[in-house]
Amino acid sequence: MKYIAKVEVSLKPGHSDPEGETTRASLVELNYPVEDVRVSKVYKILLEAASIEEAKRKVEEMCRRLLANPVKDDYTINIEEAE
Amino acid sequence: MKYIAKVEVSLKPGHSDPEGETTRASLVELNYPVEDVRVSKVYKILLEAASIEEAKRKVEEMCRRLLANPVKDDYTINIEEAE
């Protein structure tokens, strides 16, 4: 079976987000009343697995091993069957 | 009123995604059965507006002027009242 995993990797609260801060400053310069911007990254992963549980377990492992930095990142995983 | 806008900027289908391709290759090297990876970016924007309609209009404008490249990017916007 094929599954699509949507993994959102974001900075833990309290960690500074230089890209978000730069974006905020640019938007303020364009006169938008923006108070805060935080940037995160989404990976849409098409993978093969025997079941949705196995897909979830594999994607958790990918996050720990490659996609997220445990010191500074949080992540959320959503998985569904690929059409 | 304060609103939180969640803007997801992703590459249009057909545009090559070098970061996604590199991530896919790294995951395959770690023996994960991954066929495709696409990377997109999410901006969480805290802004001031008189109504949710005005917030939406402003965020649409921000996307066109700064956050998305009309040649290669698609974007989606979700807005809710900030707590």
Side-chain angles (χ1 to χ4, degrees):
Chain A
M1 295 283 299
K2 288 187 186 176
Y3 296 90
I4 292 273
K6 192 173 164 174
V7 177
E8 182 169 351
V9 178
S10 53
L11 286 162
K12 288 185 200 279
H15 278 255
S16 79
D17 181 344
E19 187 180 357
E21 181 44 38
T22 305
T23 306
R24 190 197 63 79
S26 301
L27 289 169
V28 167
E29 211 163 293
L30 292 170
N31 285 318
Y32 293 110
V34 169
E35 288 183 23
D36 190 47
V37 179
R38 302 283 288 177
V39 182
S40 55
K41 199 165 263 193
V42 174
Y43 297 92
K44 280 188 193 110
I45 302 170
L46 178 63
L47 79 159
E48 187 72 47
S51 66
I52 198 161
E53 290 75 20
E54 190 197 313
K56 176 130 212 225
R57 194 179 49 70
K58 281 182 179 169
V59 174
E60 281 274 0
E61 241 182 63
M62 292 177 205
C63 288
R64 288 198 306 272
R65 293 178 72 186
L66 190 79
L67 302 178
N69 176 338
V71 174
K72 64 177 185 61
D73 295 330
D74 283 333
Y75 58 85
T76 58
I77 298 173
N78 284 288
I79 299 191
E80 52 190 43
E81 273 184 35
E83 277 146 36
Chain B
M1 294 281 301
K2 288 185 185 177
Y3 296 90
I4 291 274
K6 192 173 163 174
V7 177
E8 182 168 351
V9 179
S10 53
L11 286 161
K12 286 184 201 281
H15 279 256
S16 80
D17 180 347
E19 187 180 357
E21 182 44 39
T22 305
T23 306
R24 191 196 63 77
S26 301
L27 289 169
V28 167
E29 212 164 291
L30 292 171
N31 285 315
Y32 293 109
V34 168
E35 287 182 26
D36 190 46
V37 179
R38 303 284 287 177
V39 181
S40 55
K41 200 164 263 193
V42 174
Y43 297 92
K44 281 189 192 108
I45 302 170
L46 177 64
L47 80 157
E48 188 72 45
S51 66
I52 198 160
E53 291 74 22
E54 191 197 313
K56 177 134 210 220
R57 193 179 51 68
K58 281 182 180 170
V59 174
E60 280 276 0
E61 242 183 64
M62 292 178 207
C63 287
R64 289 198 306 272
R65 293 178 72 185
L66 189 80
L67 303 177
N69 177 338
V71 175
K72 64 178 185 62
D73 294 330
D74 283 333
Y75 58 85
T76 59
I77 298 173
N78 284 287
I79 299 191
E80 53 189 44
E81 273 186 34
E83 280 145 33

